[in-house]
Amino acid sequence: MKATIRFGAVCFSIAAVAMAGPPPENTIATGKGPLVIRPVEHATFVMQWNSKTIAVDPVGDAARFEAHGQADLVLVTDTHGDHLSIDTVDALAGSATMIVGPAAVAEKFPEADRGRLTVLANGETVKWGDALIEAVPMYNLTPERQGFHAKGRGNGYVLTLGGTRIYIAGDTEDIPEMRALKDIDAAFVCMNLPYTMDVESAADAVLEFKPKVVFPYHYRGKGGMSDVEKFRSLVAENSETDVRLLEWY
């Protein structure tokens, strides 16, 4: 019997997906096997690597994650509702799950549950088995947007998985710390006004830190969807970075 899972308005068979395997654009090579990226929606996605499941900013109905199983690692970038749902984290996390977030996220959990979290400030690192998790800054630069994401409140992340470095921007503008990143193999970069940055700023930052692969994500804003095709063309015309457009919405 085939089980059917609904993601938004799209239904698909788990059996069919298992037979077909992930499409190549969803896969990044590492020294310990492929890293498979499975978008859920907006800022929320799942990565599967080395028989482990990583949930990034899990929000919404836990049924959307059933096909991926229990999370071994949960990363939370910020306190906003499109990044943090305590109920969703509770549904995905077991007793052995590592939950990582900044102090502002930990404070949103009931006091009795805060001990479950590994709290990282910008610049701090923690080991997760053979992997390394580094918290990096994410914040707004322009005066009219600084109220959305203050410096030091949230975390972006750089994960080193089997020697491969993955950057998750979280909610940020094209900050100096992003532009200074080195040796990034794959990057998830946001672009939505007025909350983060426009596609031109995102592209300009990518051209500076030169990831091998970039996934535009978190690109729904007040005015609708950002023009990710324009982002791809701006990057592709000026670098060898592989821009991959996945189905986030």
Side-chain angles (χ1 to χ4, degrees):
M1 180 179 296
K2 296 180 180 179
T4 299
I5 298 294
R6 178 176 294 275
F7 283 75
V10 181
C11 294
F12 61 93
S13 161
I14 294 176
V17 170
M19 290 175 61
E25 61 267 23
N26 289 58
T27 304
I28 299 294
T30 84
K32 291 195 172 182
L35 173 71
V36 179
I37 296 110
R38 303 191 185 277
V40 177
E41 184 179 12
H42 191 55
T44 301
F45 60 103
V46 171
M47 297 187 290
Q48 293 173 314
W49 171 77
N50 197 25
S51 301
K52 302 289 186 182
T53 296
I54 304 165
V56 179
D57 285 344
V59 300
D61 189 345
R64 300 195 296 174
F65 301 86
E66 287 178 355
H68 312 305
Q70 190 173 81
D72 299 287
L73 171 66
V74 174
L75 298 175
V76 182
T77 63
D78 196 23
T79 59
H80 287 167
D82 56 342
H83 298 272
L84 172 63
S85 165
I86 293 172
D87 288 344
T88 310
V89 171
D90 285 343
L92 299 184
S95 59
T97 302
M98 185 175 188
I99 306 170
V100 177
V105 165
E107 290 167 4
K108 295 294 184 181
F109 281 75
E111 188 171 356
D113 291 340
R114 292 175 191 170
R116 301 168 58 199
L117 276 74
T118 298
V119 175
L120 293 183
N122 295 170
E124 293 183 335
T125 62
V126 67
K127 294 282 287 184
W128 176 56
D130 296 336
L132 182 69
I133 304 167
E134 178 185 0
V136 297
M138 50 150 274
Y139 58 94
N140 286 107
L141 287 168
T142 53
E144 65 271 20
R145 301 178 203 161
Q146 287 177 2
F148 294 126
H149 307 99
K151 187 173 184 179
R153 188 189 74 196
N155 287 338
Y157 294 100
V158 175
L159 307 182
T160 303
L161 307 172
T164 297
R165 284 166 54 80
I166 310 296
Y167 170 54
I168 301 166
D171 280 6
T172 189
E173 289 187 66
D174 52 321
I175 56 177
E177 296 91 339
M178 174 193 288
R179 292 175 175 275
L181 290 168
K182 303 294 183 186
D183 302 320
I184 299 297
D185 295 289
F188 295 84
V189 175
C190 60
M191 52 198 77
N192 65 328
L193 294 177
Y195 308 109
T196 61
M197 56 184 160
D198 58 26
V199 296
E200 290 85 357
S201 297
D204 193 58
V206 166
L207 291 171
E208 186 159 350
F209 76 87
K210 299 180 177 64
K212 293 177 183 175
V213 177
V214 63
F215 298 95
Y217 86 135
H218 196 287
Y219 53 84
R220 180 179 59 206
K222 276 191 174 179
M225 301 296 179
S226 297
D227 189 348
V228 291
E229 288 289 355
K230 181 178 181 180
F231 170 82
R232 175 157 64 179
S233 67
L234 289 170
V235 173
E237 287 173 7
N238 297 285
S239 78
E240 297 181 358
T241 295
D242 180 10
V243 181
R244 301 187 187 180
L245 304 182
L246 305 184
E247 294 186 11
W248 295 92
Y249 302 97

